[in-house]
Amino acid sequence: MNPHDEERPVLQCLAALFADYGDTLYDGSRREAVTALQHALQCAQLAEWAGAPPALVTAALLHDIGHFHEGLAADDRTDDGHELRALPWLGQHFGPAVTEPIRLHVAAKRYLVARDPGYREGLSPASIHSLALQGGPMSPAECAAFDAEPFGADALLLRRWDDAAKEPGRRTPSLAYYLVLAGEALPTDAPPRTAIAAFDAA
Ligand code: FE
């Protein structure tokens, strides 16, 4: 199934993306202990256990779909900007309560490394590797700017779940279950669905 060349409802596109890329373990220094799908489901599960609303559970589920593209982790030495890549497409379907925590989830790591002395110790080797590529700890001025972000607090929550969602073998609900929740996060006056080609163009 190719999700990139057909017009389909957004939830079907998301299912197709996970079908195509969910088995990915990433490569080289970005390798994690769980697949991309397991990571997404565990992250959504942690958000749900914390009582997060559907939009934030959806952000947790989808926060890494910017990784889902050809040439995944082809270069270990540059920041892949994955938190930004899917936003133009996601923003056509979901509101800022979904897209903003995703946009900020890498910045949230840089913020927490600067503000929480024990935070760095809990990061996976892959996250520590990418931290340097992403700019390292935030400066005080960058932290102040992050504090002013309307969805900064949600991004910090997402970041904590992201970091904990790497446990091999943990049981979670299915992708279908979380896509139903994602459907609840869609605006009721959503415009007609557009092709996922915009995802590639981002
Ligand atoms: Fe992640």
Side-chain angles (χ1 to χ4, degrees):
M1 185 186 302
N2 181 355
H4 302 297
D5 59 3
E6 298 175 30
E7 282 215 20
R8 275 181 294 187
V10 59
L11 298 181
Q12 286 183 31
C13 287
L14 291 170
L17 279 171
F18 277 105
D20 283 354
Y21 296 104
D23 287 343
T24 307
L25 270 166
Y26 308 117
D27 292 318
S29 302
R30 294 198 173 128
R31 191 174 184 88
E32 297 282 10
V34 293
T35 68
L37 175 61
Q38 289 167 337
H39 177 59
L41 295 176
Q42 289 185 18
C43 199
Q45 181 183 51
L46 290 168
E48 194 177 20
W49 282 350
L56 190 49
V57 176
T58 301
L61 180 73
L62 304 180
H63 75 278
D64 274 343
I65 69 164
H67 280 307
F68 293 1
H69 63 102
E70 304 299 338
L72 200 70
D75 181 354
D76 250 6
R77 297 175 300 280
T78 55
D79 176 23
D80 64 1
H82 74 279
E83 75 277 18
L84 307 178
R85 193 176 297 119
L87 290 180
W89 178 69
L90 281 176
Q92 293 179 32
H93 304 285
F94 294 99
V98 174
T99 58
E100 282 294 279
I102 294 174
R103 180 178 72 84
L104 293 169
H105 84 275
V106 169
K109 176 170 67 170
R110 297 183 56 227
Y111 177 98
L112 286 167
V113 172
R115 285 285 177 90
D116 180 344
Y119 174 75
R120 187 190 183 106
E121 294 168 21
L123 291 175
S124 69
S127 277
I128 289 174
H129 171 80
S130 58
L131 172 67
L133 303 175
Q134 290 155 346
M138 279 186 172
S139 68
E142 288 174 319
C143 285
F146 189 93
D147 284 332
E149 290 281 357
F151 289 92
D154 281 351
L156 294 176
L157 289 171
L158 171 52
R159 186 72 229 180
R160 301 277 192 185
W161 300 324
D162 184 5
D163 296 328
K166 300 175 179 179
E167 188 182 316
R170 195 208 298 164
R171 290 173 60 85
T172 67
S174 66
L175 176 62
Y177 170 82
Y178 284 115
L179 288 179
V180 171
L181 265 185
E184 294 179 22
L186 286 169
T188 51
D189 59 345
R193 312 295 184 224
T194 53
I196 200 169
F199 181 84
D200 280 339

